[in-house]
Amino acid sequence: MKLLKPTWVNHNGKPIFSVDIHPDGTKFATGGQGQDSGKVVIWNMSPVLQEDDEKDENIPKMLCQMDNHLACVNCVRWSNSGMYLASGGDDKLIMVWKRATYIGPSTVFGSSGKLANVEQWRCVSILRNHSGDVMDVAWSPHDAWLASCSVDNTVVIWNAVKFPEILATLRGHSGLVKGLTWDPVGKYIASQADDRSLKVWRTLDWQLETSITKPFDECGGTTHVLRLSWSPDGHYLVSAHAMNNSGPTAQIIEREGWKTNMDFVGHRKAVTVVKFNPKIFKKKQKNGSSAKPSCPYCCCAVGSKDRSLSVWLTCLKRPLVVIHELFDKSIMDISWTLNGLGILVCSMDGSVAFLDFSQDELGDPLSEEEKSRIHQSTYGKSLAIMTEAQLSTAVIENPEMLKYQRRQQQQQLDQKSAATREMGSATSVAGVVNGESLEDIRKNLLKKQVETRTADGRRRITPLCIAQLDTGDFSTAFFNSIPLSGSLAGTMLSSHSSPQLLPLDSSTPNSFGASKPCTEPVVAASARPAGDSVNKDSMNATSTPAALSPSVLTTPSKIEPMKAFDSRFTERSKATPGAPALTSMTPTAVERDVHRQVVVVKEESLHSILAGSDMTVSQILLTQHGIPVMNLSDGKAYCFNPSLSTWNLVSDKQDSLAQCADFRSSLPSQDAMLCSGPLAIIQGRTSNSGRQAARLFSVPHVVQQETTLAYLENQVAAALTLQSSHEYRHWLLVYARYLVNEGFEYRLREICKDLLGPVHYSTGSQWESTVVGLRKRELLKELLPVIGQNLRFQRLFTECQEQLDILRDK
């Protein structure tokens, strides 16, 4: 064992309260008191490990200093991935730091430019919730959650995937909470406080599992911190500041039954910090001796107010090493290197010490695979699964979940083989638009280059935006010069069932007795005064250019009944020739459903949707449920909501959300994209152009996520407003599939909660069991296979499945 005290690691004489080594072992962070604020410093590890690097002036010792905390920093902790650093302090804040690659060099604030930051770290999240000093922070296994504890007697669990979302606030301590540790399997989190108790909480429902008080009954006085630690095999939890026969101890609590029969004894003053080595060890084999199967053991370091450090192995009754008077003041924090052979200790006196062990002293560390095998053989599962690497080796708890996982794997194999087949025949299946192949369109565009000459005679070609034409996406939104052919639109929008929308044509006498019901929206009439010719824009506002006829353009400008299918007709008031502009009058609409003998819309003003522009009404349509839909020349479509007496926007062809949304991966199949119904007919084929948007404008993934969520929520709401049950089901499943793919658990839980409703009947319940004629719990059953495709949601899957089983058995 080697012992080193690097004097250059200091906070200018101020105390260092916390230290943590980066998972890759190249750097470490310290937190403590600065000149007049809290200070977080990131240091280079190589000058600590190598004497030559320490002497080399070209190798920086300090990498970055952050003075953002307003008061003393009590704890710094790297995430398990090493991407983030969390720091908590007396300013009641937790700051989450991330390395910034694109920020230029900076200097330490107040150093007059003498101290330069080698690495640039910026604060990406500030977490505000505690009403007192933050004493400790801890990342869960696989970085799913971040926990913080404070002198406000609470523990807060933050969603580390979606800061600053709070998952739970754990209340139960009656004293200052000063230490936290996660169970390595992710099933529990333990906290220790000044109220002479150690509490273990379940991560399943964030409720108290047990409260241990007996070992702390004799404790008098307080320590600045109570940093407890869980062994890497999950068997033991070791506390700080316990007492046994009036002597200070570190209490060992067994996971099995939470028994408190053992402790680490020997320190003369209260134990402040306990830290387990991240590795599990086995005895080193002597040369020539037969390899006996030795029992794995753990290694633990204990620091105390008596300024001494002890290192213990769980296979020995006595400590491996004790170092007395290592510092001038109390030990505050301990951190092990990831390889398990080095240890950094910090003290309130403002200095740090590094201990370097050899494998002969500690033993042979087990590999991560062996460690994982111990976890699985002991607990059967690891619950805190969040990263793709861990998902591949995750234990599936639910047999139904396993079924859906296997089905998903089979689908992926089928898709791969289909993709391979398509590659061979790609040339024959080239995309054709208006009789031209996509490659021809690209060449023609290149021919249209505009060439100019500057004053000095140089040639300049005006840049032309050429997006990648992709046969895999049907959208033509990125080339306005390529209209979608009428026949193609007709086949996409045609419905095999009864007509979903009823076009109202005043000038087609034989539409009533048509042999084949037409489901394509037909232009009814122009709402402009006669004499105004219909301009190109209003022509383009129609869904199908093929449906235009001369009779459309010469519709008489007077109020007259318009025939429609299914014995329905509608009246619409229009401006007469010579009438004042729309802004100076109030256009109204009257619509009657003859079949049901009701007036659907009666003298409702159109002023709110037509005011302040020269828009015209290009179509009026009626859904099967008697909901009137009005298409305007600017591409917007409104439907009337009788219960609110308002016109609701259900479609906007220029909606930027539709341009940026990308949910291709959430569509069940190419056929499902052609979902027929009133919403599909109103919106036409403004299908997903998110791929082009992302390629042309490099939309950040977060922005695209938010726009896709907003767009899908709009689609669900629009289908609900139009009372289109088929489309509501389709878009709800697409939305849920997107949430599952992107890992949005909170929103997914909200949907499941609403569809499930109350399990036990209560008279005061506001929950309705159906939505647009669909049974909510049947919809939830359809969602379960979707949720079952992502292992992260196996708890949600099991919860919903169990609740549905209870309801079925009732």
Side-chain angles (χ1 to χ4, degrees), residues 331-406:
I331 291 177
M332 298 306 294
D333 204 0
I334 296 169
S335 178
W336 288 90
T337 55
L338 203 61
N339 67 10
L341 297 176
I343 181 173
L344 264 176
V345 191
C346 72
S347 165
M348 204 185 267
D349 66 11
S351 65
V352 299
F354 180 71
L355 278 74
D356 193 16
F357 292 95
S358 66
Q359 282 196 8
D360 291 328
E361 293 165 316
L362 296 184
D364 287 329
L366 298 186
S367 66
E368 286 302 308
E369 289 75 20
E370 290 172 301
K371 190 170 158 184
S372 181
R373 214 172 295 131
I374 288 174
H375 283 176
Q376 296 201 10
S377 64
T378 313
Y379 312 107
K381 56 186 173 285
S382 174
L383 293 179
I385 299 156
M386 281 307 288
T387 60
E388 296 305 321
Q390 274 104 16
L391 282 175
S392 59
T393 58
V395 177
I396 298 172
E397 306 164 33
N398 191 318
E400 286 291 312
M401 191 93 181
L402 182 63
K403 185 173 77 179
Y404 295 127
Q405 286 286 313
R406 282 180 177 161

Side-chain angles (χ1 to χ4, degrees), residues 612-675:
S613 67
D614 58 350
M615 280 183 296
T616 59
V617 178
S618 57
Q619 298 172 349
I620 294 184
L621 310 156
L622 203 61
T623 71
Q624 267 188 326
H625 294 279
I627 295 173
V629 180
M630 192 172 292
N631 270 10
L632 303 183
S633 57
D634 64 350
K636 289 183 179 175
Y638 293 86
C639 79
F640 187 72
N641 187 333
S643 56
L644 295 172
S645 293
T646 57
W647 291 94
N648 293 359
L649 180 70
V650 286
S651 172
D652 183 359
K653 298 208 171 164
Q654 285 149 22
D655 187 7
S656 56
L657 289 179
Q659 302 301 318
C660 285
D662 186 7
F663 50 90
R664 283 170 298 118
S665 59
S666 304
L667 289 165
S669 66
Q670 217 61 298
D671 298 333
M673 287 173 71
L674 313 178
C675 173

Side-chain angles (χ1 to χ4, degrees), residues 292-303:
K292 292 177 185 174
S294 61
C295 190
Y297 55 90
C298 300
C299 172
C300 180
V302 179

Side-chain angles (χ1 to χ4, degrees), residues 217-465:
D217 287 341
E218 299 176 41
C219 293
T222 61
T223 58
H224 187 81
V225 288
L226 294 166
R227 303 200 200 275
L228 64 170
S229 183
W230 216 303
S231 65
D233 59 7
H235 286 309
Y236 302 109
L237 171 62
V238 179
S239 81
H241 194 25
M243 296 289 272
N244 187 351
N245 290 330
S246 305
T249 65
Q251 182 66 48
I252 300 169
I253 299 154
E254 293 177 60
R255 187 197 192 97
E256 189 67 42
W258 309 111
K259 296 194 284 283
T260 55
N261 300 330
M262 300 180 287
D263 44 24
F264 292 132
V265 188
H267 285 282
R268 297 184 302 281
K269 288 186 182 175
V271 171
T272 53
V273 53
V274 177
K275 196 60 175 276
F276 267 98
N277 190 313
K279 291 287 185 188
I280 302 173
F281 294 92
K282 60 186 176 188
K283 278 200 167 65
K284 200 165 178 65
Q285 299 299 327
K286 298 280 193 296
N287 291 336
S289 66
S290 59
K292 292 177 185 174
S294 61
C295 190
Y297 55 90
C298 300
C299 172
C300 180
V302 179
S304 163
K305 279 176 89 171
D306 65 8
R307 303 170 295 157
S308 64
L309 176 82
S310 58
V311 179
W312 304 72
L313 300 179
T314 54
C315 63
L316 300 176
K317 292 182 179 176
R318 293 182 176 277
L320 178 72
V321 62
V322 180
I323 303 168
H324 292 287
E325 296 181 10
L326 184 57
F327 298 102
D328 295 333
K329 288 184 181 174
S330 170
I331 291 177
M332 298 306 294
D333 204 0
I334 296 169
S335 178
W336 288 90
T337 55
L338 203 61
N339 67 10
L341 297 176
I343 181 173
L344 264 176
V345 191
C346 72
S347 165
M348 204 185 267
D349 66 11
S351 65
V352 299
F354 180 71
L355 278 74
D356 193 16
F357 292 95
S358 66
Q359 282 196 8
D360 291 328
E361 293 165 316
L362 296 184
D364 287 329
L366 298 186
S367 66
E368 286 302 308
E369 289 75 20
E370 290 172 301
K371 190 170 158 184
S372 181
R373 214 172 295 131
I374 288 174
H375 283 176
Q376 296 201 10
S377 64
T378 313
Y379 312 107
K381 56 186 173 285
S382 174
L383 293 179
I385 299 156
M386 281 307 288
T387 60
E388 296 305 321
Q390 274 104 16
L391 282 175
S392 59
T393 58
V395 177
I396 298 172
E397 306 164 33
N398 191 318
E400 286 291 312
M401 191 93 181
L402 182 63
K403 185 173 77 179
Y404 295 127
Q405 286 286 313
R406 282 180 177 161
R407 189 184 297 173
Q408 189 190 19
Q409 286 167 3
Q410 187 58 46
Q411 283 172 356
Q412 286 170 350
L413 287 170
D414 295 345
Q415 284 169 5
K416 277 182 184 175
S417 57
T420 322
R421 285 198 300 274
E422 283 173 23
M423 286 285 281
S425 57
T427 48
S428 60
V429 200
V432 175
V433 180
N434 281 1
E436 276 190 287
S437 74
L438 300 178
E439 198 54 44
D440 291 340
I441 292 167
R442 192 198 297 270
K443 286 174 183 171
N444 290 339
L445 283 167
L446 288 171
K447 284 177 190 171
K448 293 175 187 172
Q449 285 181 344
V450 181
E451 188 180 299
T452 55
R453 286 188 180 271
T454 57
D456 56 358
R458 291 184 184 178
R459 294 195 312 162
R460 286 282 178 272
I461 291 173
T462 307
L464 183 67
C465 177

